Each structure stands twice: as structure tokens, then as C-alpha cells.
Amino acid sequence: MSTHSLLLLPGDGIGVETMAEVERIIAFLNARSNSAKFETQSDLVGGAAFDKHGVSITEDAMAKATAADAIIFGSVGGPKWDSVPYEHRPEAGLLRLRKDLDLFANLRPAICYPALADASSLKRDLVEGLDILILRELTGGTYFGEPKEIVTLENGEKRAVDTTLYTTREVDRIARMGFDLARKRRNKVHMAAKWNVMRSGVLWREVTAAVHKSYAADVEYHEILADNCAMQLIRNPKQFDVVVTDNLFGDILSDEAAMMTGSLGMLPSASLGAADPKTGKRRALYEPVHGSAPDIAGQGLANPIATIASFGMALRYSFDMGKEADLVDGAIAKVLEKGLRTGDIMQPGMTKVGTSEMGSAILKEMEAMAA
Ligand code: IPM
Ligand code: MG
């Protein structure tokens, strides 16, 4: 019997509600399997951690995160914490997890479930069958580059600086990951950057092209300006397979890709570190792409699918439990086919359900499929 340790960090807002549905699925898998068991611990992050401890994540929670086989993360932030000191803002907890655990590769798949094609803001034929992967660099660039500051000038005016900083090594490792992933998909990579304006973009282009040449000449490779990529995603999204891009462009392009699938409430993500040379294991954090949605938090309205699907990615990528991951994904597709919808993906003629009803329905399908 192998034991997998999970740290659950529900965070703020709807993260708390959607994580509760994941816990039910974990309990179901634990009850059913006699080969693998999940041991879970929970802790606070974001505004919830700030309210209790005065920081967005404690050292104790960081230690648990470092020790866990995988972290399942909900969401952080909300207007309640708008005026807390910048270094303690809820998002800082998430950024510290990414940086300290060196989770440099953020996989954001955008898959359009056939049942949801009409919920997309794009026309059905543009998104039906869509299956793209935004691969976002997650520990460098504008998010972490120094200097990052606001200084007051002698004339009393302020000057704000963010720095977009990348090294060869940082671009090289994410580019390799992009080509590796493409080989398991449709064998095509687009590298999106702004080499026409940014020095960091010039480096991205140089390094990725070199990786392509020396390491992945078998993969179809395209360079695309990030603004054009944003436009092409709307114009003809199915031309893409893997889009590899920096931290800031990846943040933006992944929201755009997510919305094409019907709702931000649908998209999971995986943030992975480098493979341990001995065990091959990677540090990993799984989280929905959506945020804490303070406007609907605490009302049982949130769509739990993105968080549940994030746990599904954990099964696949951290625990090599492809069969169980298929069960999760299959159950989600089934429930959607049957017409169950949370408010964010509601369409005429469908059945509107809340967070826990959606969770129950997915669990029921999993039970039926596993029987
Ligand atoms: C995301 C989020 C985060 C980011 C926020 C919450 C800091 O938007 O994961 O995409 O900007 O990376
Ligand atoms: Mg974002």
C-alpha cells in the first residue's frame, strides 16, 4: 500500500467551498482503493492566514507544503484585504509557494467539453473540440524580477518599477518542458513573447529556438508575438497545441484561453518543479485558474469543477493514477452531458445546481463508473 500526502490549502472565498468537494472525492478514493491511500493535512493561506496569523502563509504551512507529495490549492484574495500591507496581501502566500518550491512550470490546459461549447463567448465551431495547453513560466519574469518598488522622487512624484528578468536557464527549462509536453499531444509548440519590444523577449526567442534545434527538431515550432497570440486565440484557437510563454503573458493568455471553454470555473492547472534526479518526482501544486470570486463566496453557488479537475491533474501527474484521473474527468463530462450547470455555465433548458449538488453529482457518476 502506498501512501500519498496531500496538503490542502483552500484559501479564501469560493476556494473553501470548492475544496470541500475535493475532500469528498478523496474520501471516496480512500474508501475504494486498497493499493493507494491519501493522507491529507490542511492549512491556511491568503487572507484567511493573514486574519489568524498576520501573514499570508506561515512558516509551519510552508514546511508542510515542502514535505507534501502534492498541494491542492483553492483561491486567495478579496476586497476585505485590499488595504493590508503589500507584502502580506493574500496573493503573496501563493507567490511564495510557487517561488520557494521552485514550481517553474505551470500547465494550464483549456479543453472545451462538447456539452459546454454553447456556453463559450465564441461560436461553437471555433471552440468545439478545443484542446490547447498554455505552458506558463511561473517563477521568473515580471512577477519576481528586482527591482520591484515604488520610490518617492525628490520632487515628491512617485516612480514605480517592475522588472522583467529571465536567465538562459529559466527559459531553457520551460522550453524543454514545452517540447516534451507537445510530443505527447499534437507535436506543435508556439512560443509567445514580445521580442520586438522587450530584451527579455529577445532572449526567449533565442533560447527557445536553440532548444528546438538541438533538442526537439521533430516538433513543429512557431514563434508568435504575444499580442498576436492573444488575437489568434480568439480568431482561430484550434491552430494551437502548446503555447509556451513567460509569467505575465501566461497569466493573461491563460485567462483568455479559459474563457473560451465556457467559463473560468472549468479550468484546472498544475504547477510543477524539476524532476528529482533520483526519484523522478516533482514538487507540485494544483489549483483552479479562477480566483476567489468574493461576489458569490459563501453562498454555495461556486462551480467546483476546476478544483476537482485540478485534483484530477494531481492524480495523473503526481501519483501516476491515470485510471482514477480518467474517472474524475469522465464523471465531469457525464454530469455536464446530463445538463447539470452551476450559475457560471448556466444555459437555457439546463438544470441549475449549487456547489455541493455539483460535487455530489460528480461523485455519483464516479461511483457508477467505478462499479
Ligand atoms: C493566477 C492568478 C495569480 C497570478 C494571482 C492570484 C496572484 O491570477 O494564478 O493566474 O497572477 O498568477
Ligand atoms: Mg491569473
Side-chain angles (χ1 to χ4, degrees), residues 21 24-25 116 265-266 300-306 308 331-332 334-336 339-346 351-365:
E21 301 311 313
R24 295 170 67 193
I25 290 176
L116 282 188
M266 299 296 302
L301 299 175
N303 185 350
I305 290 178
I308 292 174
I332 292 171
K334 201 67 196 232
V335 162
L336 294 172
L340 265 59
R341 299 285 188 274
T342 42
D344 57 313
I345 48 175
M346 186 57 193
T351 312
K352 192 161 172 182
V353 296
T355 312
S356 64
E357 284 167 285
M358 182 58 97
S360 301
I362 292 171
L363 207 50
K364 217 174 113 199
E365 288 302 335

PDB file of all heavy atoms in Angstrom, residues 21 24-25 116 265-266 300-306 308 331-332 334-336 339-346 351-365:
ATOM      1  N   GLU A  21     -15.553  19.899  -1.799  1.00  0.00           N
ATOM      2  CA  GLU A  21     -15.994  18.867  -2.759  1.00  0.00           C
ATOM      3  C   GLU A  21     -14.829  17.932  -3.116  1.00  0.00           C
ATOM      4  O   GLU A  21     -15.023  16.745  -3.321  1.00  0.00           O
ATOM      5  CB  GLU A  21     -16.568  19.525  -4.021  1.00  0.00           C
ATOM      6  CG  GLU A  21     -17.769  20.440  -3.740  1.00  0.00           C
ATOM      7  CD  GLU A  21     -18.822  19.777  -2.857  1.00  0.00           C
ATOM      8  OE1 GLU A  21     -19.191  18.614  -3.139  1.00  0.00           O
ATOM      9  OE2 GLU A  21     -19.260  20.412  -1.878  1.00  0.00           O
ATOM     10  N   ARG A  24     -14.412  15.267  -0.515  1.00  0.00           N
ATOM     11  CA  ARG A  24     -15.350  14.145  -0.643  1.00  0.00           C
ATOM     12  C   ARG A  24     -14.832  13.127  -1.658  1.00  0.00           C
ATOM     13  O   ARG A  24     -15.002  11.923  -1.492  1.00  0.00           O
ATOM     14  CB  ARG A  24     -16.730  14.668  -1.078  1.00  0.00           C
ATOM     15  CG  ARG A  24     -17.367  15.562  -0.016  1.00  0.00           C
ATOM     16  CD  ARG A  24     -18.605  16.263  -0.543  1.00  0.00           C
ATOM     17  NE  ARG A  24     -19.687  15.330  -0.829  1.00  0.00           N
ATOM     18  CZ  ARG A  24     -20.783  15.649  -1.524  1.00  0.00           C
ATOM     19  NH1 ARG A  24     -20.920  16.869  -2.012  1.00  0.00           N
ATOM     20  NH2 ARG A  24     -21.721  14.768  -1.732  1.00  0.00           N
ATOM     21  N   ILE A  25     -14.210  13.635  -2.709  1.00  0.00           N
ATOM     22  CA  ILE A  25     -13.679  12.717  -3.727  1.00  0.00           C
ATOM     23  C   ILE A  25     -12.481  11.942  -3.178  1.00  0.00           C
ATOM     24  O   ILE A  25     -12.334  10.741  -3.425  1.00  0.00           O
ATOM     25  CB  ILE A  25     -13.344  13.493  -5.010  1.00  0.00           C
ATOM     26  CG1 ILE A  25     -14.667  13.933  -5.642  1.00  0.00           C
ATOM     27  CG2 ILE A  25     -12.517  12.648  -5.980  1.00  0.00           C
ATOM     28  CD1 ILE A  25     -14.543  14.786  -6.852  1.00  0.00           C
ATOM     29  N   LEU A 116     -20.417  22.016 -23.354  1.00  0.00           N
ATOM     30  CA  LEU A 116     -20.329  23.429 -22.978  1.00  0.00           C
ATOM     31  C   LEU A 116     -20.015  24.364 -24.139  1.00  0.00           C
ATOM     32  O   LEU A 116     -19.868  25.563 -23.945  1.00  0.00           O
ATOM     33  CB  LEU A 116     -19.241  23.609 -21.922  1.00  0.00           C
ATOM     34  CG  LEU A 116     -19.606  23.203 -20.500  1.00  0.00           C
ATOM     35  CD1 LEU A 116     -18.496  23.622 -19.565  1.00  0.00           C
ATOM     36  CD2 LEU A 116     -20.921  23.834 -20.072  1.00  0.00           C
ATOM     37  N   GLY A 265     -14.594  28.932 -14.470  1.00  0.00           N
ATOM     38  CA  GLY A 265     -14.879  27.952 -13.415  1.00  0.00           C
ATOM     39  C   GLY A 265     -14.583  26.519 -13.813  1.00  0.00           C
ATOM     40  O   GLY A 265     -14.809  25.599 -13.034  1.00  0.00           O
ATOM     41  N   MET A 266     -14.090  26.322 -15.037  1.00  0.00           N
ATOM     42  CA  MET A 266     -13.869  24.973 -15.552  1.00  0.00           C
ATOM     43  C   MET A 266     -12.402  24.558 -15.547  1.00  0.00           C
ATOM     44  O   MET A 266     -12.088  23.401 -15.705  1.00  0.00           O
ATOM     45  CB  MET A 266     -14.357  24.900 -17.001  1.00  0.00           C
ATOM     46  CG  MET A 266     -15.821  25.172 -17.186  1.00  0.00           C
ATOM     47  SD  MET A 266     -16.836  23.942 -16.373  1.00  0.00           S
ATOM     48  CE  MET A 266     -16.251  22.465 -17.172  1.00  0.00           C
ATOM     49  N   GLY A 300     -22.651  28.886  -1.654  1.00  0.00           N
ATOM     50  CA  GLY A 300     -22.891  27.562  -2.250  1.00  0.00           C
ATOM     51  C   GLY A 300     -23.200  27.632  -3.741  1.00  0.00           C
ATOM     52  O   GLY A 300     -23.832  26.748  -4.294  1.00  0.00           O
ATOM     53  N   LEU A 301     -22.739  28.683  -4.411  1.00  0.00           N
ATOM     54  CA  LEU A 301     -23.047  28.862  -5.845  1.00  0.00           C
ATOM     55  C   LEU A 301     -21.880  28.509  -6.753  1.00  0.00           C
ATOM     56  O   LEU A 301     -22.050  28.304  -7.951  1.00  0.00           O
ATOM     57  CB  LEU A 301     -23.425  30.331  -6.109  1.00  0.00           C
ATOM     58  CG  LEU A 301     -24.651  30.880  -5.383  1.00  0.00           C
ATOM     59  CD1 LEU A 301     -24.813  32.378  -5.672  1.00  0.00           C
ATOM     60  CD2 LEU A 301     -25.903  30.118  -5.810  1.00  0.00           C
ATOM     61  N   ALA A 302     -20.683  28.438  -6.164  1.00  0.00           N
ATOM     62  CA  ALA A 302     -19.473  28.314  -6.996  1.00  0.00           C
ATOM     63  C   ALA A 302     -19.422  26.991  -7.745  1.00  0.00           C
ATOM     64  O   ALA A 302     -19.924  25.971  -7.284  1.00  0.00           O
ATOM     65  CB  ALA A 302     -18.239  28.436  -6.109  1.00  0.00           C
ATOM     66  N   ASN A 303     -18.774  27.037  -8.886  1.00  0.00           N
ATOM     67  CA  ASN A 303     -18.549  25.842  -9.695  1.00  0.00           C
ATOM     68  C   ASN A 303     -17.313  25.104  -9.151  1.00  0.00           C
ATOM     69  O   ASN A 303     -16.204  25.628  -9.215  1.00  0.00           O
ATOM     70  CB  ASN A 303     -18.301  26.285 -11.142  1.00  0.00           C
ATOM     71  CG  ASN A 303     -18.165  25.115 -12.100  1.00  0.00           C
ATOM     72  OD1 ASN A 303     -18.063  23.965 -11.670  1.00  0.00           O
ATOM     73  ND2 ASN A 303     -18.168  25.410 -13.384  1.00  0.00           N
ATOM     74  N   PRO A 304     -17.481  23.892  -8.647  1.00  0.00           N
ATOM     75  CA  PRO A 304     -16.320  23.179  -8.077  1.00  0.00           C
ATOM     76  C   PRO A 304     -15.497  22.426  -9.114  1.00  0.00           C
ATOM     77  O   PRO A 304     -14.489  21.799  -8.771  1.00  0.00           O
ATOM     78  CB  PRO A 304     -16.981  22.187  -7.109  1.00  0.00           C
ATOM     79  CG  PRO A 304     -18.284  21.849  -7.766  1.00  0.00           C
ATOM     80  CD  PRO A 304     -18.729  23.101  -8.512  1.00  0.00           C
ATOM     81  N   ILE A 305     -15.903  22.485 -10.392  1.00  0.00           N
ATOM     82  CA  ILE A 305     -15.274  21.613 -11.394  1.00  0.00           C
ATOM     83  C   ILE A 305     -13.778  21.896 -11.559  1.00  0.00           C
ATOM     84  O   ILE A 305     -12.968  20.967 -11.630  1.00  0.00           O
ATOM     85  CB  ILE A 305     -16.020  21.702 -12.749  1.00  0.00           C
ATOM     86  CG1 ILE A 305     -17.392  21.025 -12.613  1.00  0.00           C
ATOM     87  CG2 ILE A 305     -15.211  21.057 -13.873  1.00  0.00           C
ATOM     88  CD1 ILE A 305     -18.261  21.067 -13.855  1.00  0.00           C
ATOM     89  N   ALA A 306     -13.385  23.168 -11.583  1.00  0.00           N
ATOM     90  CA  ALA A 306     -11.962  23.472 -11.791  1.00  0.00           C
ATOM     91  C   ALA A 306     -11.092  22.922 -10.656  1.00  0.00           C
ATOM     92  O   ALA A 306      -9.988  22.432 -10.891  1.00  0.00           O
ATOM     93  CB  ALA A 306     -11.747  24.982 -11.926  1.00  0.00           C
ATOM     94  N   ILE A 308     -11.921  20.365  -8.644  1.00  0.00           N
ATOM     95  CA  ILE A 308     -11.980  18.900  -8.744  1.00  0.00           C
ATOM     96  C   ILE A 308     -11.067  18.414  -9.873  1.00  0.00           C
ATOM     97  O   ILE A 308     -10.304  17.456  -9.727  1.00  0.00           O
ATOM     98  CB  ILE A 308     -13.444  18.428  -8.964  1.00  0.00           C
ATOM     99  CG1 ILE A 308     -14.261  18.710  -7.700  1.00  0.00           C
ATOM    100  CG2 ILE A 308     -13.493  16.944  -9.321  1.00  0.00           C
ATOM    101  CD1 ILE A 308     -15.755  18.433  -7.835  1.00  0.00           C
ATOM    102  N   ALA A 331     -16.388  11.601 -15.166  1.00  0.00           N
ATOM    103  CA  ALA A 331     -17.566  11.953 -14.361  1.00  0.00           C
ATOM    104  C   ALA A 331     -17.973  13.410 -14.609  1.00  0.00           C
ATOM    105  O   ALA A 331     -19.154  13.730 -14.713  1.00  0.00           O
ATOM    106  CB  ALA A 331     -17.282  11.708 -12.884  1.00  0.00           C
ATOM    107  N   ILE A 332     -16.985  14.281 -14.740  1.00  0.00           N
ATOM    108  CA  ILE A 332     -17.285  15.693 -15.019  1.00  0.00           C
ATOM    109  C   ILE A 332     -18.010  15.813 -16.366  1.00  0.00           C
ATOM    110  O   ILE A 332     -19.059  16.468 -16.476  1.00  0.00           O
ATOM    111  CB  ILE A 332     -15.997  16.544 -15.007  1.00  0.00           C
ATOM    112  CG1 ILE A 332     -15.421  16.615 -13.594  1.00  0.00           C
ATOM    113  CG2 ILE A 332     -16.272  17.952 -15.547  1.00  0.00           C
ATOM    114  CD1 ILE A 332     -14.039  17.250 -13.507  1.00  0.00           C
ATOM    115  N   LYS A 334     -19.697  13.615 -17.952  1.00  0.00           N
ATOM    116  CA  LYS A 334     -21.010  12.964 -17.858  1.00  0.00           C
ATOM    117  C   LYS A 334     -22.047  13.890 -17.230  1.00  0.00           C
ATOM    118  O   LYS A 334     -23.167  14.047 -17.737  1.00  0.00           O
ATOM    119  CB  LYS A 334     -20.827  11.710 -17.000  1.00  0.00           C
ATOM    120  CG  LYS A 334     -21.864  10.622 -17.153  1.00  0.00           C
ATOM    121  CD  LYS A 334     -21.789  10.027 -18.505  1.00  0.00           C
ATOM    122  CE  LYS A 334     -23.025   9.231 -18.846  1.00  0.00           C
ATOM    123  NZ  LYS A 334     -22.679   7.906 -19.295  1.00  0.00           N
ATOM    124  N   VAL A 335     -21.654  14.504 -16.133  1.00  0.00           N
ATOM    125  CA  VAL A 335     -22.563  15.399 -15.410  1.00  0.00           C
ATOM    126  C   VAL A 335     -22.962  16.584 -16.297  1.00  0.00           C
ATOM    127  O   VAL A 335     -24.119  17.017 -16.312  1.00  0.00           O
ATOM    128  CB  VAL A 335     -21.872  15.865 -14.103  1.00  0.00           C
ATOM    129  CG1 VAL A 335     -22.537  17.085 -13.531  1.00  0.00           C
ATOM    130  CG2 VAL A 335     -21.852  14.724 -13.104  1.00  0.00           C
ATOM    131  N   LEU A 336     -21.987  17.078 -17.070  1.00  0.00           N
ATOM    132  CA  LEU A 336     -22.289  18.182 -17.981  1.00  0.00           C
ATOM    133  C   LEU A 336     -23.234  17.724 -19.089  1.00  0.00           C
ATOM    134  O   LEU A 336     -24.175  18.434 -19.459  1.00  0.00           O
ATOM    135  CB  LEU A 336     -20.996  18.746 -18.577  1.00  0.00           C
ATOM    136  CG  LEU A 336     -20.058  19.434 -17.585  1.00  0.00           C
ATOM    137  CD1 LEU A 336     -18.732  19.776 -18.250  1.00  0.00           C
ATOM    138  CD2 LEU A 336     -20.699  20.700 -17.006  1.00  0.00           C
ATOM    139  N   GLY A 339     -26.724  17.787 -18.304  1.00  0.00           N
ATOM    140  CA  GLY A 339     -27.366  19.098 -18.236  1.00  0.00           C
ATOM    141  C   GLY A 339     -27.255  19.812 -16.906  1.00  0.00           C
ATOM    142  O   GLY A 339     -27.894  20.838 -16.696  1.00  0.00           O
ATOM    143  N   LEU A 340     -26.444  19.295 -15.994  1.00  0.00           N
ATOM    144  CA  LEU A 340     -26.269  19.998 -14.718  1.00  0.00           C
ATOM    145  C   LEU A 340     -25.318  21.181 -14.903  1.00  0.00           C
ATOM    146  O   LEU A 340     -24.262  21.044 -15.512  1.00  0.00           O
ATOM    147  CB  LEU A 340     -25.712  19.041 -13.663  1.00  0.00           C
ATOM    148  CG  LEU A 340     -26.759  18.373 -12.773  1.00  0.00           C
ATOM    149  CD1 LEU A 340     -27.740  17.584 -13.599  1.00  0.00           C
ATOM    150  CD2 LEU A 340     -26.114  17.489 -11.730  1.00  0.00           C
ATOM    151  N   ARG A 341     -25.713  22.326 -14.361  1.00  0.00           N
ATOM    152  CA  ARG A 341     -24.907  23.534 -14.549  1.00  0.00           C
ATOM    153  C   ARG A 341     -24.907  24.379 -13.282  1.00  0.00           C
ATOM    154  O   ARG A 341     -25.963  24.624 -12.711  1.00  0.00           O
ATOM    155  CB  ARG A 341     -25.492  24.419 -15.664  1.00  0.00           C
ATOM    156  CG  ARG A 341     -25.569  23.785 -17.046  1.00  0.00           C
ATOM    157  CD  ARG A 341     -24.202  23.724 -17.701  1.00  0.00           C
ATOM    158  NE  ARG A 341     -24.295  23.302 -19.092  1.00  0.00           N
ATOM    159  CZ  ARG A 341     -24.312  22.026 -19.498  1.00  0.00           C
ATOM    160  NH1 ARG A 341     -24.253  21.054 -18.604  1.00  0.00           N
ATOM    161  NH2 ARG A 341     -24.398  21.720 -20.776  1.00  0.00           N
ATOM    162  N   THR A 342     -23.730  24.855 -12.889  1.00  0.00           N
ATOM    163  CA  THR A 342     -23.680  25.923 -11.892  1.00  0.00           C
ATOM    164  C   THR A 342     -23.965  27.236 -12.621  1.00  0.00           C
ATOM    165  O   THR A 342     -23.971  27.281 -13.856  1.00  0.00           O
ATOM    166  CB  THR A 342     -22.295  25.968 -11.216  1.00  0.00           C
ATOM    167  OG1 THR A 342     -21.295  25.790 -12.217  1.00  0.00           O
ATOM    168  CG2 THR A 342     -22.170  24.889 -10.151  1.00  0.00           C
ATOM    169  N   GLY A 343     -24.169  28.291 -11.859  1.00  0.00           N
ATOM    170  CA  GLY A 343     -24.594  29.567 -12.442  1.00  0.00           C
ATOM    171  C   GLY A 343     -23.679  30.080 -13.539  1.00  0.00           C
ATOM    172  O   GLY A 343     -24.140  30.621 -14.552  1.00  0.00           O
ATOM    173  N   ASP A 344     -22.374  29.894 -13.382  1.00  0.00           N
ATOM    174  CA  ASP A 344     -21.406  30.445 -14.334  1.00  0.00           C
ATOM    175  C   ASP A 344     -21.498  29.818 -15.718  1.00  0.00           C
ATOM    176  O   ASP A 344     -21.069  30.425 -16.700  1.00  0.00           O
ATOM    177  CB  ASP A 344     -19.975  30.282 -13.787  1.00  0.00           C
ATOM    178  CG  ASP A 344     -19.653  28.823 -13.479  1.00  0.00           C
ATOM    179  OD1 ASP A 344     -20.481  28.148 -12.847  1.00  0.00           O
ATOM    180  OD2 ASP A 344     -18.580  28.350 -13.889  1.00  0.00           O
ATOM    181  N   ILE A 345     -22.036  28.580 -15.793  1.00  0.00           N
ATOM    182  CA  ILE A 345     -22.135  27.912 -17.097  1.00  0.00           C
ATOM    183  C   ILE A 345     -23.595  27.611 -17.459  1.00  0.00           C
ATOM    184  O   ILE A 345     -23.879  26.806 -18.344  1.00  0.00           O
ATOM    185  CB  ILE A 345     -21.300  26.603 -17.142  1.00  0.00           C
ATOM    186  CG1 ILE A 345     -21.587  25.748 -15.904  1.00  0.00           C
ATOM    187  CG2 ILE A 345     -19.823  26.894 -17.246  1.00  0.00           C
ATOM    188  CD1 ILE A 345     -20.886  24.381 -15.922  1.00  0.00           C
ATOM    189  N   MET A 346     -24.492  28.267 -16.747  1.00  0.00           N
ATOM    190  CA  MET A 346     -25.926  28.021 -16.952  1.00  0.00           C
ATOM    191  C   MET A 346     -26.360  28.410 -18.370  1.00  0.00           C
ATOM    192  O   MET A 346     -25.909  29.408 -18.917  1.00  0.00           O
ATOM    193  CB  MET A 346     -26.723  28.825 -15.920  1.00  0.00           C
ATOM    194  CG  MET A 346     -28.204  28.566 -15.932  1.00  0.00           C
ATOM    195  SD  MET A 346     -28.588  26.795 -15.679  1.00  0.00           S
ATOM    196  CE  MET A 346     -30.315  26.786 -16.142  1.00  0.00           C
ATOM    197  N   THR A 351     -30.248  22.334 -15.988  1.00  0.00           N
ATOM    198  CA  THR A 351     -30.650  22.296 -14.580  1.00  0.00           C
ATOM    199  C   THR A 351     -29.618  23.019 -13.731  1.00  0.00           C
ATOM    200  O   THR A 351     -28.458  22.620 -13.688  1.00  0.00           O
ATOM    201  CB  THR A 351     -30.736  20.829 -14.094  1.00  0.00           C
ATOM    202  OG1 THR A 351     -31.493  20.093 -15.065  1.00  0.00           O
ATOM    203  CG2 THR A 351     -31.383  20.746 -12.733  1.00  0.00           C
ATOM    204  N   LYS A 352     -30.057  24.055 -13.058  1.00  0.00           N
ATOM    205  CA  LYS A 352     -29.108  24.838 -12.266  1.00  0.00           C
ATOM    206  C   LYS A 352     -28.890  24.177 -10.904  1.00  0.00           C
ATOM    207  O   LYS A 352     -29.845  23.844 -10.217  1.00  0.00           O
ATOM    208  CB  LYS A 352     -29.643  26.256 -12.091  1.00  0.00           C
ATOM    209  CG  LYS A 352     -28.610  27.197 -11.532  1.00  0.00           C
ATOM    210  CD  LYS A 352     -28.985  28.645 -11.802  1.00  0.00           C
ATOM    211  CE  LYS A 352     -28.049  29.574 -11.071  1.00  0.00           C
ATOM    212  NZ  LYS A 352     -28.416  30.967 -11.268  1.00  0.00           N
ATOM    213  N   VAL A 353     -27.627  23.993 -10.557  1.00  0.00           N
ATOM    214  CA  VAL A 353     -27.292  23.390  -9.266  1.00  0.00           C
ATOM    215  C   VAL A 353     -26.258  24.238  -8.537  1.00  0.00           C
ATOM    216  O   VAL A 353     -25.620  25.102  -9.127  1.00  0.00           O
ATOM    217  CB  VAL A 353     -26.725  21.955  -9.433  1.00  0.00           C
ATOM    218  CG1 VAL A 353     -27.757  21.014 -10.030  1.00  0.00           C
ATOM    219  CG2 VAL A 353     -25.449  21.970 -10.264  1.00  0.00           C
ATOM    220  N   GLY A 354     -26.124  23.968  -7.235  1.00  0.00           N
ATOM    221  CA  GLY A 354     -25.122  24.665  -6.430  1.00  0.00           C
ATOM    222  C   GLY A 354     -23.843  23.844  -6.331  1.00  0.00           C
ATOM    223  O   GLY A 354     -23.716  22.778  -6.946  1.00  0.00           O
ATOM    224  N   THR A 355     -22.915  24.354  -5.525  1.00  0.00           N
ATOM    225  CA  THR A 355     -21.586  23.736  -5.405  1.00  0.00           C
ATOM    226  C   THR A 355     -21.659  22.283  -4.945  1.00  0.00           C
ATOM    227  O   THR A 355     -21.080  21.390  -5.564  1.00  0.00           O
ATOM    228  CB  THR A 355     -20.727  24.531  -4.393  1.00  0.00           C
ATOM    229  OG1 THR A 355     -20.828  25.913  -4.709  1.00  0.00           O
ATOM    230  CG2 THR A 355     -19.281  24.092  -4.416  1.00  0.00           C
ATOM    231  N   SER A 356     -22.377  22.031  -3.848  1.00  0.00           N
ATOM    232  CA  SER A 356     -22.353  20.685  -3.290  1.00  0.00           C
ATOM    233  C   SER A 356     -23.198  19.728  -4.117  1.00  0.00           C
ATOM    234  O   SER A 356     -22.892  18.538  -4.209  1.00  0.00           O
ATOM    235  CB  SER A 356     -22.780  20.682  -1.826  1.00  0.00           C
ATOM    236  OG  SER A 356     -24.113  21.100  -1.726  1.00  0.00           O
ATOM    237  N   GLU A 357     -24.257  20.246  -4.756  1.00  0.00           N
ATOM    238  CA  GLU A 357     -25.030  19.376  -5.660  1.00  0.00           C
ATOM    239  C   GLU A 357     -24.153  18.940  -6.833  1.00  0.00           C
ATOM    240  O   GLU A 357     -24.201  17.788  -7.270  1.00  0.00           O
ATOM    241  CB  GLU A 357     -26.238  20.126  -6.222  1.00  0.00           C
ATOM    242  CG  GLU A 357     -27.396  20.294  -5.245  1.00  0.00           C
ATOM    243  CD  GLU A 357     -28.378  21.323  -5.811  1.00  0.00           C
ATOM    244  OE1 GLU A 357     -28.054  22.529  -5.766  1.00  0.00           O
ATOM    245  OE2 GLU A 357     -29.439  20.916  -6.299  1.00  0.00           O
ATOM    246  N   MET A 358     -23.376  19.867  -7.361  1.00  0.00           N
ATOM    247  CA  MET A 358     -22.477  19.521  -8.465  1.00  0.00           C
ATOM    248  C   MET A 358     -21.462  18.489  -7.990  1.00  0.00           C
ATOM    249  O   MET A 358     -21.201  17.493  -8.678  1.00  0.00           O
ATOM    250  CB  MET A 358     -21.779  20.787  -8.991  1.00  0.00           C
ATOM    251  CG  MET A 358     -20.866  20.561 -10.165  1.00  0.00           C
ATOM    252  SD  MET A 358     -21.672  19.826 -11.615  1.00  0.00           S
ATOM    253  CE  MET A 358     -22.014  21.268 -12.619  1.00  0.00           C
ATOM    254  N   GLY A 359     -20.899  18.704  -6.788  1.00  0.00           N
ATOM    255  CA  GLY A 359     -19.944  17.745  -6.224  1.00  0.00           C
ATOM    256  C   GLY A 359     -20.578  16.370  -6.054  1.00  0.00           C
ATOM    257  O   GLY A 359     -19.979  15.349  -6.415  1.00  0.00           O
ATOM    258  N   SER A 360     -21.793  16.351  -5.531  1.00  0.00           N
ATOM    259  CA  SER A 360     -22.481  15.069  -5.320  1.00  0.00           C
ATOM    260  C   SER A 360     -22.713  14.356  -6.638  1.00  0.00           C
ATOM    261  O   SER A 360     -22.553  13.137  -6.737  1.00  0.00           O
ATOM    262  CB  SER A 360     -23.853  15.284  -4.654  1.00  0.00           C
ATOM    263  OG  SER A 360     -23.702  15.927  -3.427  1.00  0.00           O
ATOM    264  N   ALA A 361     -23.117  15.109  -7.650  1.00  0.00           N
ATOM    265  CA  ALA A 361     -23.409  14.505  -8.954  1.00  0.00           C
ATOM    266  C   ALA A 361     -22.144  13.888  -9.553  1.00  0.00           C
ATOM    267  O   ALA A 361     -22.180  12.793 -10.112  1.00  0.00           O
ATOM    268  CB  ALA A 361     -23.992  15.555  -9.895  1.00  0.00           C
ATOM    269  N   ILE A 362     -21.015  14.584  -9.414  1.00  0.00           N
ATOM    270  CA  ILE A 362     -19.749  14.058  -9.943  1.00  0.00           C
ATOM    271  C   ILE A 362     -19.360  12.787  -9.192  1.00  0.00           C
ATOM    272  O   ILE A 362     -18.967  11.784  -9.787  1.00  0.00           O
ATOM    273  CB  ILE A 362     -18.640  15.136  -9.867  1.00  0.00           C
ATOM    274  CG1 ILE A 362     -18.957  16.268 -10.855  1.00  0.00           C
ATOM    275  CG2 ILE A 362     -17.255  14.544 -10.137  1.00  0.00           C
ATOM    276  CD1 ILE A 362     -18.084  17.496 -10.735  1.00  0.00           C
ATOM    277  N   LEU A 363     -19.529  12.831  -7.880  1.00  0.00           N
ATOM    278  CA  LEU A 363     -19.217  11.665  -7.048  1.00  0.00           C
ATOM    279  C   LEU A 363     -20.088  10.473  -7.437  1.00  0.00           C
ATOM    280  O   LEU A 363     -19.620   9.335  -7.539  1.00  0.00           O
ATOM    281  CB  LEU A 363     -19.481  12.056  -5.594  1.00  0.00           C
ATOM    282  CG  LEU A 363     -18.698  11.350  -4.501  1.00  0.00           C
ATOM    283  CD1 LEU A 363     -17.215  11.346  -4.793  1.00  0.00           C
ATOM    284  CD2 LEU A 363     -18.956  12.054  -3.165  1.00  0.00           C
ATOM    285  N   LYS A 364     -21.355  10.755  -7.680  1.00  0.00           N
ATOM    286  CA  LYS A 364     -22.282   9.677  -8.054  1.00  0.00           C
ATOM    287  C   LYS A 364     -21.877   9.029  -9.382  1.00  0.00           C
ATOM    288  O   LYS A 364     -21.897   7.802  -9.527  1.00  0.00           O
ATOM    289  CB  LYS A 364     -23.707  10.249  -8.166  1.00  0.00           C
ATOM    290  CG  LYS A 364     -24.770   9.294  -7.662  1.00  0.00           C
ATOM    291  CD  LYS A 364     -26.141   9.951  -7.650  1.00  0.00           C
ATOM    292  CE  LYS A 364     -27.037   9.287  -8.678  1.00  0.00           C
ATOM    293  NZ  LYS A 364     -28.181  10.092  -9.066  1.00  0.00           N
ATOM    294  N   GLU A 365     -21.467   9.890 -10.332  1.00  0.00           N
ATOM    295  CA  GLU A 365     -21.012   9.340 -11.617  1.00  0.00           C
ATOM    296  C   GLU A 365     -19.740   8.525 -11.429  1.00  0.00           C
ATOM    297  O   GLU A 365     -19.563   7.484 -12.075  1.00  0.00           O
ATOM    298  CB  GLU A 365     -20.740  10.467 -12.629  1.00  0.00           C
ATOM    299  CG  GLU A 365     -21.963  11.165 -13.163  1.00  0.00           C
ATOM    300  CD  GLU A 365     -22.970  10.242 -13.855  1.00  0.00           C
ATOM    301  OE1 GLU A 365     -22.559   9.161 -14.349  1.00  0.00           O
ATOM    302  OE2 GLU A 365     -24.164  10.574 -13.860  1.00  0.00           O
TER     303      GLU A 365
END
